[in-house]
């Protein structure tokens, strides 16, 4: 019913920046929440940043002040601007859309921060 298409991952040096994008299509209903998780092998999945269709945002303490989430409700698209990247930010980033307790997921995009 819902498809999520991600883009923007890649390799950057510490201190660099990346911008992730995720566009949702299909049966999209409001209100909803869109945002990002990340997964590193051997570690617990982390809820990174999310924004409701009404504009309420949440951030993990580990990214607060460095990452900024935004969305375009008309396009059903969410963005994650990642600045001052650290090696600890290296992970597969997954986009998700949440609606009445159910989540749809993107395929994931690799972000690697290394010198």
């Amino acid at each position: 019913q819902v498809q999520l298409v991600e883009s923007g991952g890649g390799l950057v040096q510490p201190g660099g920046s990346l911008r992730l994008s995720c566009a949702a299509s299909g049966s999209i209903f409001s209100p909803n929440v869109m945002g990002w998780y990340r997964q590193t092998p051997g570690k617990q999945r982390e809820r990174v940043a999310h924004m409701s269709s009404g504009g309420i945002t949440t951030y993990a303490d580990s990214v607060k002040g460095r990452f900024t989430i935004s969305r375009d409700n008309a396009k059903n698209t969410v963005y994650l601007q990642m600045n001052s990247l650290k090696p600890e930010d290296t992970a597969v980033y997954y986009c998700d859309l949440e609606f009445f307790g159910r989540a749809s997921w993107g395929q994931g995009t690799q972000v690697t921060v290394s010198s």
Side-chain angles (χ1 to χ4, degrees):
Q1 293 182 336
V2 178
Q3 183 178 4
L4 301 173
V5 180
E6 304 172 350
S7 62
L11 173 65
V12 296
Q13 295 182 335
S17 298
L18 282 175
R19 190 192 191 204
L20 306 182
S21 300
C22 174
S25 61
S27 300
I28 309 300
F29 299 96
S30 297
N32 61 60
V33 175
M34 294 184 68
W36 303 87
Y37 283 81
R38 65 186 182 186
Q39 178 70 63
T40 300
K43 297 182 179 179
Q44 186 176 347
R45 183 180 63 185
E46 182 179 24
R47 189 176 177 93
V48 176
H50 283 76
M51 178 177 282
S52 73
S53 51
I56 299 173
T57 60
T58 60
Y59 293 94
D61 289 342
S62 57
V63 307
K64 197 170 186 177
R66 300 186 297 120
F67 292 9
T68 302
I69 190 169
S70 61
R71 62 183 288 173
D72 185 334
N73 289 343
K75 297 180 179 179
N76 289 314
T77 299
V78 65
Y79 308 92
L80 186 66
Q81 180 66 47
M82 305 187 295
N83 298 328
S84 302
L85 283 162
K86 305 175 181 179
E88 305 93 275
D89 297 317
T90 296
V92 178
Y93 284 71
Y94 295 91
C95 176
D96 81 309
L97 183 152
E98 301 161 10
F99 178 72
F100 278 95
R102 298 185 300 170
S104 300
W105 297 87
Q107 80 286 353
T109 184
Q110 177 71 46
V111 172
T112 302
V113 185
S114 179
S115 298

